[in-house]
Amino acid sequence: MAVGKSAIGQQLAQQLGLLFVDTDAVVVSAHGSIADIFAGRGEHAFREIEARAVAKSIENAKVQPAIISLGGGAVLDSGTQQLLGECTVVYLECDAGTVADRIARNTGRPLLKGDAMARWEALFATRRPVYERLADIVMDVRSGSVVEIGLRLEERLRQFAALKEEVEK
């Protein structure tokens, strides 16, 4: 949460000439704001909606390749985890210090009500092992501009694809 998934994903998609899909934006366009979904229907309902949006986005990417940005908690769904096995997964790694300013400026995150940084750190502690397990590539995003990170990530993806192709021979 707040690591720059959307900005970096858009940058990478632009560099590669691919479609960019932000599953949070897909959910918002079909169901209204995430905060309203949490308030009116609860986190469980949001996670179900999110899982469907992720599944549809991954399915669509089989026809039209895309860079897909998932919400920070999307990977907690076991069905989503299985679908990600078919994808190249990038974990954008950072720390609390990197995201503190972004979190302070954005009060619309329903899971960060109250002490936002303490909540972020608790969520990250539970999610990090899942991110690490699912990731094909871990990308440190603590430093560099969005463009610089996008270029580094593009290179890492090319290296990963070449290695994967070599292994499959």
Side-chain angles (χ1 to χ4, degrees):
M1 190 182 302
V3 300
K5 295 180 301 291
S6 296
I8 294 166
Q10 285 177 325
Q11 176 65 37
L12 182 64
Q14 181 182 357
Q15 288 168 209
L16 299 176
L18 296 174
L19 177 68
F20 174 71
V21 179
D22 182 325
T23 59
D24 282 349
V26 170
V27 168
V28 168
S29 70
H31 299 276
S33 82
I34 293 170
D36 288 347
I37 296 168
F38 266 78
R41 298 168 63 187
E43 183 177 2
H44 182 74
F46 169 75
R47 294 295 174 203
E48 288 178 348
I49 293 166
E50 179 181 52
R52 287 193 300 272
V54 170
K56 184 173 183 175
S57 297
I58 291 172
E59 188 64 30
N60 290 345
K62 292 177 182 176
V63 177
Q64 182 178 6
I67 302 298
I68 304 171
S69 171
L70 276 60
V75 298
L76 302 177
D77 179 78
S78 61
T80 296
Q81 291 179 24
Q82 285 185 308
L83 290 172
L84 290 175
E86 305 168 14
C87 305
T88 300
V89 177
V90 176
Y91 161 37
L92 301 179
E93 182 182 47
C94 73
D95 56 17
T98 305
V99 300
D101 288 341
R102 294 178 204 158
I103 289 171
R105 287 190 306 262
N106 184 350
T107 58
R109 297 177 190 271
L111 289 177
L112 298 183
K113 297 256 186 252
D115 183 345
M117 284 312 300
R119 296 277 300 139
W120 184 91
E121 289 171 338
L123 289 169
F124 181 59
T126 60
R127 294 173 179 181
R128 183 179 188 167
V130 179
Y131 297 159
E132 291 173 345
R133 180 173 49 82
L134 295 173
D136 296 302
I137 297 170
V138 177
M139 188 76 201
D140 186 335
V141 298
R142 289 175 202 142
S143 64
S145 68
V146 169
V147 171
E148 291 167 341
I149 293 169
L151 291 170
R152 288 194 328 250
L153 181 51
E154 181 179 356
E155 179 59 28
R156 294 280 305 277
L157 285 165
R158 291 188 193 290
Q159 291 169 353
F160 177 78
L163 182 61
K164 188 175 176 182
E165 185 178 308
E166 191 63 34
V167 169
E168 291 174 354
K169 283 185 182 177

